[in-house]
Amino acid sequence: MNTALVIMAAGIGSRFGGGIKQLEKMGPEGEIIMDYSIYDAKRAGFNKIVFIIRKDIEKDFLEIVGNRISRVMDVEYVYQQLDNIPNGVRAAEGRTKPWGTGHAVLMCKDVVKEPFAVINADDFYGAESFRIIHDELANPTHSGRRYNFCMAGFKLGNTLSENGTVTRGICVEEGGILKSVYETSGIEYAGGTLKYDKGDCPVKATLDSKVSMNMWGLTPQFFDELEPRFEDFLKGLAEDDVKSEFLLPKVVDELISEGIAEVKVLETDGKWFGVTYKEDKPSVVNSIKKLIEKGIYPENLWG
């Protein structure tokens, strides 16, 4: 079965010091985190890559990523732009913030016709995560619900940064089925204590809590829900709202609460790492070096 990997690479990266963190070189031959994700995805059986980028990073992106990856896999590009919204709708004056991960994935509706996984460009997920997502997409569990999706469930303790707080989707599950996901910010483990902003999260988080790292397994029918819900989101914004985002986990959560989707949580013990903060880079470089020394990746990823 054909399967696609959708990579969300349109983020501004303001917490990374204003640079384009998705394109930072991490491996010994100049590999970036996306290289390792694509390498793992290819080994798992994915056969197409769809990059979601912005027009203003297109030139750098092609030079650093796209031209190289197109030699080993089929590649498509879609563009997430602030003005890519339905006719008759206007963004608030002064808005520069993108519309969020739900809007990013919606940009793929004309090029993704097969089951697909979604990931962030600047997160390292590990080979096991791609394997379990691909296997579920290729041989899906059918629940009788209208939609059957899946997600990689990481342990919260394996997804923290040593250099500041992070935001994670805290998951509530029963029997391996996702019941709800709560976007929770301010998460850090300091002084032997797990701290986080309670906000709307009604559950007690622990280091073993399953969290969403925006690694979802979806089907093309998902676009049938994204499009009208994005329009409703836009219509519900205040005229001066320059910050609200249309978030992918929130859409999935709505579909679950409405009883029309079942999402299988695929547990992984993989350790996440990424570049939430500029200070994270040395740790990422060192982590990749150790994986190469263990023989998990070749020193020159693409030979």
Side-chain angles (χ1 to χ4, degrees):
M1 174 184 287
N2 290 332
T3 50
L5 177 66
V6 171
I7 303 180
M8 297 186 290
I12 293 175
S14 58
R15 286 188 292 181
F16 193 65
I20 304 174
K21 63 181 180 177
Q22 294 91 343
L23 305 184
E24 282 288 315
K25 297 177 180 179
M26 302 291 179
E29 297 296 323
E31 295 92 347
I32 62 177
I33 285 181
M34 265 184 284
D35 279 305
Y36 293 94
S37 292
I38 294 165
Y39 184 85
D40 286 335
K42 189 173 189 294
R43 286 195 294 180
F46 289 90
N47 47 26
K48 182 170 84 173
I49 303 295
V50 179
F51 290 116
I52 306 171
I53 63 173
R54 303 190 315 271
K55 284 287 187 181
D56 62 296
I57 68 169
E58 182 176 24
K59 182 176 181 292
D60 286 341
F61 196 92
L62 286 171
E63 290 178 358
I64 299 173
V65 187
N67 293 338
R68 181 176 69 257
I69 299 305
S70 64
R71 293 197 292 267
V72 295
M73 290 188 75
D74 290 337
V75 172
E76 299 261 14
Y77 294 91
V78 298
Y79 302 91
Q80 184 182 21
Q81 299 294 119
L82 196 60
D83 59 358
N84 201 323
I85 54 180
N87 290 332
V89 179
R90 294 181 60 188
E93 186 176 348
R95 182 178 182 113
T96 58
K97 194 174 183 65
W99 292 112
T101 52
H103 177 250
V105 174
L106 179 57
M107 298 301 96
C108 301
K109 67 184 179 70
D110 293 329
V111 302
V112 174
K113 306 299 180 184
E114 58 272 273
F116 64 101
V118 177
I119 64 168
N120 297 327
D122 52 345
D123 289 327
F124 178 96
Y125 296 94
E128 180 193 25
S129 304
F130 289 96
R131 178 185 59 77
I132 60 178
I133 289 281
H134 176 271
D135 289 352
E136 181 64 26
L137 290 175
N139 297 284
T141 302
H142 293 288
S143 65
R145 302 287 173 88
R146 188 186 309 172
Y147 307 111
N148 293 276
F149 305 139
C150 62
M151 60 159 281
F154 288 79
K155 291 180 180 179
L156 176 57
N158 288 340
T159 72
L160 303 178
S161 169
E162 297 178 354
N163 298 300
T165 63
V166 297
T167 297
R168 300 288 181 254
I170 306 294
C171 298
V172 177
E173 59 169 328
E174 290 181 13
I177 303 301
L178 185 66
K179 295 301 178 183
S180 55
V181 56
Y182 298 96
E183 199 77 359
T184 305
S185 59
I187 305 174
E188 64 177 340
Y189 188 68
T193 302
L194 182 65
K195 303 175 183 178
Y196 54 96
D197 300 333
K198 301 302 187 292
D200 296 328
C201 184
V203 297
K204 178 178 173 56
T206 70
L207 292 176
D208 287 330
S209 292
K210 299 295 187 306
V211 296
S212 162
M213 295 298 299
N214 258 348
M215 189 178 200
W216 301 94
L218 305 166
T219 64
Q221 291 74 27
F222 186 58
F223 299 121
D224 297 337
E225 296 292 340
L226 270 183
E227 197 156 25
R229 289 170 193 266
F230 180 55
E231 290 194 35
D232 290 342
F233 162 81
L234 292 174
K235 291 174 182 176
L237 293 178
E239 290 186 3
D240 60 348
D241 189 332
V242 297
K243 291 186 176 180
S244 292
E245 293 183 72
F246 182 63
L247 298 175
L248 185 58
K250 189 172 188 306
V251 177
V252 173
D253 198 44
E254 287 176 0
L255 296 176
I256 293 171
S257 64
E258 292 168 14
I260 59 176
E262 181 172 285
V263 180
K264 190 172 182 180
V265 179
L266 307 174
E267 183 177 349
T268 174
D269 288 323
K271 187 174 188 335
W272 166 93
F273 52 83
V275 283
T276 304
Y277 300 92
K278 194 169 187 177
E279 294 78 9
D280 289 329
K281 181 175 178 178
S283 176
V284 173
V285 171
N286 188 53
S287 295
I288 290 174
K289 181 181 177 182
K290 289 180 179 178
L291 291 172
I292 292 170
E293 290 171 351
K294 291 178 181 179
I296 296 173
Y297 299 106
E299 187 163 351
N300 187 335
L301 198 62
W302 301 114

